[in-house]
Amino acid sequence: MKKPSISRAINREQITTFWWLISIAFRESRWRTIGYFFFASVQIATNLFTYYSTARVSAYLVEIVADKRPSSDIWPWIFLTGISSLIAYSSYRLLQIYQHLLYYKIARYSTRMFYEQLCSMDMSDFYDKDTRDELNRINEGYTWQLPNTATQCLGIVYGGLNTVVTVITIGIVAWWLIPVFAILLIPSLVYESKLSKINWFVTREDSDDRHIFWGLSSIFTVARKQFEIRALTAQAKLLRLVEKINGGFYDKQAKIFASLHWLAGVSVVLQIIREVGAQIWLAIQVINKALTLQQYFFYVAMVFRLDGALSGLFNSIARNQEGLKYSSDYRKFQKRKPLLVDVVNASKVTTSSPPFIEFVDAQFTYPGASKPVFSGLNLRIESGQKVALVGENGVGKSTVIKLLMRFYALERGRLLINGVDILDIKIESWYQQIATLFQDFNQYPLTVADNISISGVEHDDKRVKSSAKLSGADRYIDTLPKKYETYLDPSFKDGVEPSGGLWQRIALARAFYRDANIIILDEPTSAIDAKAEYEIFNNIFARHDGKTALIVSHRFSTVRKADRVLVLEGGKIVEDGTHESLLKKKGLYAEMFNKQAEGYR
């Protein structure tokens, strides 16, 4: 592993990211950001006055003790010191309040934008290694890292203002202290900068291991996935793997951290030299009568303030390196534009009847694959047809569906919807024509009703119940503690863990709920018994009379009523006909059907 190289604490990209974060604060809450800087300015000004009045009180005390000044002179300044301290403290508390409020606003922004971007990405990006690594890094901190870095950037601006005021004040009597202090602070800056980069360097290098770690972490936290871990007694092996990955991750950080101890020691020594050296010089000025006692007290305080301001600013900049690197990656991710987007003046699918679908000389290869799934695929599905796709695993049945949903684009050929290329169609209008049930359907931790009506169609209780009846889920739902308001997650009060069959019925009800012109079903009844499957498909064909249905299934009993059965092999349609005609043909379909039938004899 390469050790972090010594680089500038700030580069152009980080400066751009810095101001981008500040702009987010203004955009998400303009008045809170203005309020933050207003109270920061008040706090800096009143703090400076407090140093001045405290120095005057200290000098007056010396003179009063020496009987050179009446004691009455001190009380107005003590009163002013108290008032300025109160204002400074109150302003500091108020700017902290504004900082926290801005943190919450930016956290909402970062979460919202992350999910919005995930929902707009090309599907192929999810399978790209570089994108996967980028997603893993962002996923580890989008709820806190970005808002935390943004508020730290606000703090850096505040620290910068404080430093400027201090520099101007102390520069009146000893301008040369400023460059000396800055130079002597460089080791501390380098140390903090290196320290902040440790985690980021290791995270970037171990992207594959971290991907495995977070994947296993998600498995450990889900009850139904724990079933398999325990049944296989796989705990020990998985825990060893997690410990190896996580241990290696932190061991590398500890090794780099240990190599920086000498810098920490140098920083401490230089801090003592800065502060003691400045005090000695100021004391000599008083002895030589170049400064008054009041000025001495004031500038000694300002020396400590300068040291604190410069070191605080430098350390804040250095410690913000990891956050800025994270925010830079987040910003790049947010700027990512999908390739599969609607073209300008895209046409809408507005027909009330199901449109016809046609693949013309279609060729498609998954990203990273060496062999195309299809090459020269020609297929036309007429309006209102019930079509079943069958074939061995990996022949491209589900790929047809993914292409129809424009999750991917053909590399050659065309996919037409009513004669219009799908790339020239407004995708939302096309989706409004379709109801889908994917083989790997989602199981939302929501109520039964919300799981069924999760689509963009407006919620309607009657429609929810009628859809559940069509899928056969209603008889099970009526036995649940709160029926349609029952959460499908046992971690909720009165929540339940549905069986695989019930989940599939609810997912099917979700497709029925859309009542679309085209229904696409990918293995719709794989977890449902044969009798229930028969009833469900009767409902599918009855409910979708006059509408198009595209069904992918390994169960041949499922496809018997289809108008057409398409058999895929080698990226092509090798048989096309009804169930009966294909059995008479005694080809591949008949062979697969008879093999499956033997299992029921």
Side-chain angles (χ1 to χ4, degrees):
M1 172 185 175
K2 290 183 179 179
K3 291 184 178 180
S5 60
I6 296 176
S7 59
R8 289 178 301 170
I10 305 175
N11 57 37
R12 184 177 297 176
E13 181 182 323
Q14 288 173 323
I15 292 173
T16 302
T17 303
F18 178 92
W19 290 114
W20 173 70
L21 290 169
I22 297 293
S23 72
I24 290 174
F26 272 102
R27 188 167 63 247
E28 292 301 303
S29 187
R30 180 185 303 274
W31 291 110
R32 286 175 182 172
T33 307
I34 292 172
Y36 174 89
F37 286 119
F38 171 77
F39 288 112
S41 302
V42 172
Q43 195 265 346
I44 291 169
T46 51
N47 245 352
L48 183 64
F49 180 80
T50 302
Y51 281 118
Y52 173 78
S53 61
T54 301
R56 174 159 284 197
V57 166
S58 299
Y60 278 13
L61 278 173
V62 173
E63 292 176 358
I64 290 168
V65 170
D67 291 327
K68 293 182 178 180
R69 181 179 290 275
S71 60
S72 58
D73 287 356
I74 200 172
W75 302 117
W77 285 103
I78 289 177
F79 175 76
L80 289 173
T81 301
I83 292 296
S84 63
S85 296
L86 176 64
I87 295 172
Y89 181 80
S90 299
S91 298
Y92 182 71
R93 285 299 178 195
L94 285 167
L95 75 86
Q96 282 189 318
I97 289 170
Y98 276 104
Q99 186 179 51
H100 278 87
L101 292 173
L102 285 167
Y103 178 96
Y104 302 139
K105 273 284 188 181
I106 297 168
R108 287 179 61 182
Y109 164 86
S110 62
T111 302
R112 181 180 72 249
M113 297 305 296
F114 179 59
Y115 288 138
E116 283 184 7
Q117 185 68 330
L118 286 175
C119 290
S120 67
M121 285 170 57
D122 289 324
M123 294 304 298
S124 58
D125 286 341
F126 286 95
Y127 299 96
D128 175 72
K129 181 184 181 301
D130 291 338
T131 305
R132 182 207 72 188
D133 294 342
E134 183 181 11
L135 272 175
N136 283 339
R137 290 195 300 273
I138 294 170
N139 194 42
E140 290 186 36
Y142 67 90
T143 59
W144 65 272
Q145 182 78 287
L146 190 91
N148 189 55
T149 306
T151 51
Q152 285 178 353
C153 288
L154 291 172
I156 288 172
V157 175
Y158 161 67
L161 291 172
N162 185 36
T163 302
V164 168
V165 170
T166 306
V167 164
I168 292 171
T169 304
I170 206 168
I172 295 171
V173 294
W175 64 266
W176 54 269
L177 280 176
I178 297 155
V180 169
F181 270 47
I183 291 170
L184 294 179
L185 274 166
I186 290 175
S188 177
L189 175 63
V190 174
Y191 172 71
E192 293 292 346
S193 181
K194 280 177 166 288
L195 207 61
S196 71
K197 291 176 182 177
I198 290 174
N199 181 64
W200 200 250
F201 276 99
V202 177
T203 299
R204 280 182 169 274
E205 178 171 293
D206 289 345
S207 55
D208 285 345
D209 280 350
R210 297 306 288 171
H211 183 63
I212 294 170
F213 174 82
W214 288 111
L216 291 175
S217 177
S218 66
I219 290 174
F220 276 118
T221 58
V222 179
R224 62 178 178 274
K225 295 184 179 181
Q226 278 280 351
F227 292 152
E228 180 176 309
I229 293 174
R230 299 184 188 197
L232 294 173
T233 61
Q235 303 98 311
K237 185 177 289 187
L238 288 173
L239 289 171
R240 281 197 302 271
L241 180 57
V242 168
E243 173 57 25
K244 180 183 176 183
I245 293 171
N246 213 36
F249 178 72
Y250 288 110
D251 284 347
K252 287 180 179 178
Q253 293 185 70
K255 185 177 179 181
I256 301 171
F257 176 72
S259 69
L260 301 177
H261 288 341
W262 68 275
L263 266 176
V266 171
S267 300
V268 171
V269 171
L270 291 179
Q271 180 179 358
I272 295 170
I273 291 173
R274 290 193 305 268
E275 294 176 357
V276 173
Q279 287 183 72
I280 291 172
W281 182 83
L282 287 169
I284 292 172
Q285 300 308 302
V286 174
I287 293 169
N288 293 333
K289 302 188 184 304
L291 290 176
T292 65
L293 197 59
Q294 178 183 319
Q295 288 174 318
Y296 172 79
F297 286 131
F298 176 65
Y299 283 111
V300 163
M302 291 305 294
V303 162
F304 283 100
R305 180 182 170 96
L306 175 64
D307 194 43
L310 283 173
S311 61
L313 179 62
F314 282 13
N315 289 343
S316 294
I317 292 170
R319 288 173 182 171
N320 214 22
Q321 296 300 292
E322 181 183 347
L324 285 172
K325 287 181 180 297
Y326 174 89
S327 301
S328 178
D329 275 9
Y330 182 100
R331 181 168 172 260
K332 289 176 184 175
F333 175 72
Q334 186 182 319
K335 291 170 69 176
R336 177 192 294 271
K337 301 296 182 184
L339 298 177
L340 275 175
V341 294
D342 292 337
V343 297
V344 178
N345 299 321
S347 60
K348 292 184 178 180
V349 181
T350 56
T351 177
S352 58
S353 58
F356 74 81
I357 301 165
E358 187 173 15
F359 287 86
V360 181
D361 195 28
Q363 178 171 310
F364 174 73
T365 306
Y366 279 108
S370 57
K371 184 179 178 182
V373 181
F374 301 125
S375 182
L377 175 69
N378 290 285
L379 165 64
R380 182 181 172 101
I381 300 173
E382 300 295 345
S383 175
Q385 273 193 333
K386 310 295 187 290
V387 178
L389 295 176
V390 299
E392 299 292 341
N393 288 332
V395 296
K397 303 185 297 296
S398 295
T399 303
V400 169
I401 294 174
K402 292 173 184 175
L403 292 169
L404 273 174
M405 300 303 295
R406 208 174 80 179
F407 294 157
Y408 298 94
L410 293 171
E411 56 189 293
R412 194 179 71 199
R414 303 181 75 195
L415 170 52
L416 306 175
I417 310 299
N418 270 357
V420 179
D421 195 301
I422 194 170
L423 298 178
D424 297 326
I425 288 175
K426 193 171 183 61
I427 196 63
E428 288 296 329
S429 73
W430 173 230
Y431 286 163
Q432 287 170 8
Q433 297 284 322
I434 304 172
T436 56
L437 169 58
F438 294 103
Q439 186 173 357
D440 296 321
F441 56 84
N442 289 344
Q443 300 175 3
Y444 300 99
L446 303 171
T447 64
V448 173
D450 287 338
N451 260 280
I452 292 173
S453 63
I454 195 69
S455 69
V457 179
E458 186 177 350
H459 182 90
D460 184 307
D461 287 333
K462 289 183 179 179
R463 194 165 176 173
V464 166
K465 291 178 180 178
S466 64
S467 299
K469 186 174 182 179
L470 283 169
S471 71
D474 59 328
R475 69 193 74 167
Y476 300 95
I477 295 169
D478 288 336
T479 67
L480 298 177
K482 294 183 179 179
K483 296 184 170 48
Y484 286 86
E485 294 307 311
T486 302
Y487 277 90
L488 298 180
D489 186 326
S491 64
F492 288 95
K493 184 181 179 182
D494 296 325
V496 299
E497 178 69 76
S499 65
L502 178 54
W503 262 124
Q504 196 156 49
R505 290 172 187 272
I506 288 171
L508 190 56
R510 192 181 297 157
F512 285 142
Y513 185 84
R514 287 182 67 82
D515 193 25
N517 279 327
I518 301 170
I519 187 167
I520 298 176
L521 305 172
D522 188 357
E523 297 293 347
T525 54
S526 58
I528 297 174
D529 61 80
K531 181 176 179 294
E533 177 190 60
Y534 176 79
E535 294 174 356
I536 288 169
F537 270 90
N538 279 342
N539 289 336
I540 289 174
F541 289 114
R543 176 69 180 267
H544 283 76
D545 185 32
K547 297 182 179 181
T548 301
L550 181 60
I551 303 162
V552 172
S553 181
H554 284 93
R555 287 188 181 181
F556 288 94
S557 56
T558 300
V559 305
R560 297 178 72 136
K561 288 190 174 183
D563 300 329
R564 293 170 67 194
V565 178
L566 306 177
V567 183
L568 275 70
E569 185 182 44
K572 297 184 182 298
I573 297 171
V574 294
E575 295 182 15
D576 182 352
T578 63
H579 169 73
E580 290 77 12
S581 67
L582 293 179
L583 284 181
K584 289 178 183 178
K585 188 177 181 181
K586 295 182 179 181
L588 180 58
Y589 178 82
E591 179 186 342
M592 291 189 295
F593 178 84
N594 290 326
K595 282 183 179 179
Q596 190 173 103
E598 287 176 5
Y600 293 96
R601 291 172 186 165

